[in-house]
Amino acid sequence: MGSNSEFGVSKMMLRSLDVLSEVEKLPKKRDLGRIRFLRGVALRDVGRKEESAQEFVRFLKEYPKRDEIPQARFALINIQRELKNYPSAIAVLNSFRFADSAPLEGYRLDLLYMAYNESGDAVNTIRVVEMESARLRRLGATARVSDLDRAFEHAVRAYIRAIELKAPGATLEKLYTALKEMNNGPAFGKILVQVAQTLRVKEWREQLIYWKNLIQTYEKGRAEWREVLWVLAEYELINNRTEEFKRIFAQIQDSIKEQMGKDVQEFKRRIEVVMLERSIFLTARLKEMSDPASIAAIRRDLTLVYESF
């Protein structure tokens, strides 16, 4: 909403809008609302953000019924975020709302999430996730895929960040519940794997194991259950936890026995690729080693890889 081309404004237009103060003095008023709105846009587009924010605040106060109100609100909010004036941006965002079915309501919640997140308020960031979840439940089957994807992403980021900060009440169980309340269909299965991958990237081993156990308890019937298992198995393999890998890999093998569907075959091929890459890596390491203990350890891992094919 901030490009020059979108509103067709420029420095030249800003100079022409400087007549606003003179127009206001005329006995017969022209369309001052439109002029003030465009002046706010022009000030923003030439980088005079503080003045632009003041212009939009005045416009919203003096012309509350104009068609440009949504544009003015969002322009003001984004300027306030750029200026790191998060309390003001949050106050504006909480002062209005649209119907659940309106795309602008999704945009409002997105901005509210970002404002709280950028201000470091983990608790209220999760509160926005709860608001998004409630909206999705009210919309039901009419919810847009883009809104669901955004809400999923917000939930994962918000809860992971809150757990990292040790915010009160932030747990993986609550993240699981929040995601499931948003959608219990195929999209939910995919986000379960995404959470596991996020925990792996952060190298939160205990939390990754906990997430695996949580999904095992409640979602073992889903195909994505194997994917979550494999995320943990691969993490253990790369970190040379041989016994842990063998135990998890055995679970994976049990889960795909007597299942010959396309998805299962594709999953098995992916495992084989990873195991082959691991064997190449270990073989290269073996050539560099001179310490007998290290050589023995690598050979044990290589044996494990070969046995897994």
Side-chain angles (χ1 to χ4, degrees):
M1 296 183 66
S3 65
N4 287 353
S5 59
E6 183 175 355
F7 293 101
V9 295
S10 63
K11 291 183 179 180
M12 184 179 295
M13 185 175 184
L14 179 59
R15 287 195 293 272
S16 70
L17 289 174
D18 281 333
V19 302
L20 176 61
S21 59
E22 298 301 320
V23 174
E24 287 178 321
K25 299 174 186 176
L26 297 176
K28 186 176 181 180
K29 304 293 185 184
R30 298 297 188 263
D31 190 356
L32 296 185
R34 180 65 178 171
I35 294 173
R36 187 167 297 286
F37 170 73
L38 290 176
R39 180 167 172 76
V41 171
L43 286 164
R44 179 201 63 190
D45 288 351
V46 296
R48 291 159 62 180
K49 296 176 183 178
E50 291 86 355
E51 295 173 74
S52 175
Q54 292 170 7
E55 205 70 46
F56 283 129
V57 167
R58 188 171 175 183
F59 171 79
L60 292 170
K61 182 178 179 181
E62 295 179 1
Y63 304 96
K65 297 186 182 298
R66 286 196 63 94
D67 292 341
E68 298 95 338
I69 286 293
Q71 289 174 295
R73 279 174 173 157
F74 288 129
L76 173 61
I77 290 159
N78 282 314
I79 290 170
Q80 290 167 329
R81 286 179 55 225
E82 289 172 17
L83 295 173
K84 302 190 185 304
N85 186 0
Y86 301 118
S88 294
I90 290 166
V92 176
L93 284 162
N94 282 322
S95 70
F96 69 96
R97 62 163 296 172
F98 300 93
D100 284 333
S101 58
L104 284 179
E105 178 62 5
Y107 183 51
R108 182 186 77 86
L109 291 172
D110 187 29
L111 288 178
L112 187 59
Y113 170 89
M114 289 191 288
Y116 278 125
N117 186 54
E118 289 161 0
S119 69
D121 189 339
V123 173
N124 274 311
T125 303
I126 289 178
R127 186 176 67 83
V128 178
V129 170
E130 292 169 351
M131 292 165 63
E132 290 179 307
S133 178
R135 174 175 178 252
L136 288 170
R137 291 197 300 274
R138 290 192 296 270
L139 288 172
T142 64
R144 294 174 176 80
V145 173
S146 59
D147 282 347
L148 176 59
D149 289 343
R150 183 171 57 242
F152 273 160
E153 181 183 349
H154 285 176
V156 173
R157 288 186 177 182
Y159 275 94
I160 294 295
R161 179 62 176 155
I163 292 169
E164 195 169 32
L165 294 173
K166 295 182 169 54
T171 64
L172 288 175
E173 292 100 324
K174 288 191 176 180
L175 171 58
Y176 166 80
T177 301
L179 294 171
K180 189 159 188 173
E181 286 178 347
M182 288 177 184
N183 184 284
N184 194 26
F188 175 60
K190 293 177 182 177
I191 200 66
L192 296 178
V193 180
Q194 185 179 321
V195 173
Q197 291 167 340
T198 301
L199 295 171
R200 176 189 164 178
V201 168
K202 285 188 165 291
E203 298 191 358
W204 288 3
R205 182 171 179 261
E206 289 185 11
Q207 288 89 339
L208 178 55
I209 292 171
Y210 191 90
W211 185 252
K212 185 270 292 185
N213 292 337
L214 190 67
I215 305 311
Q216 181 177 11
T217 301
Y218 297 110
E219 303 295 338
K220 196 172 180 180
R222 289 183 181 270
E224 289 82 7
W225 155 239
R226 281 191 299 270
E227 298 281 354
V228 173
L229 264 181
W230 177 241
V231 171
L232 177 58
E234 191 176 10
Y235 179 75
E236 300 289 38
L237 176 67
I238 291 172
N239 285 279
N240 300 315
R241 297 188 183 94
T242 304
E243 293 305 316
E244 289 87 347
F245 170 79
K246 287 172 66 176
R247 179 173 48 78
I248 300 166
F249 194 73
Q251 285 184 277
I252 294 172
Q253 290 177 316
D254 288 342
S255 73
I256 61 179
K257 280 179 180 177
E258 300 179 0
Q259 295 186 43
M260 301 302 292
K262 182 179 178 181
D263 291 343
V264 173
Q265 292 305 309
E266 170 110 6
F267 181 69
K268 290 171 72 175
R269 280 194 292 272
R270 281 175 42 222
I271 291 178
E272 289 173 356
V273 169
V274 172
M275 300 298 271
L276 180 60
E277 290 173 347
R278 182 66 177 169
S279 69
I280 293 170
F281 169 77
L282 290 172
T283 302
R285 286 287 310 280
L286 190 61
K287 294 177 181 178
E288 300 171 356
M289 293 293 118
S290 57
D291 173 49
S294 299
I295 292 173
I298 291 176
R299 282 179 173 161
R300 281 197 302 272
D301 285 347
L302 273 170
T303 301
L304 169 67
V305 171
Y306 294 143
E307 289 175 349
S308 300
F309 280 100

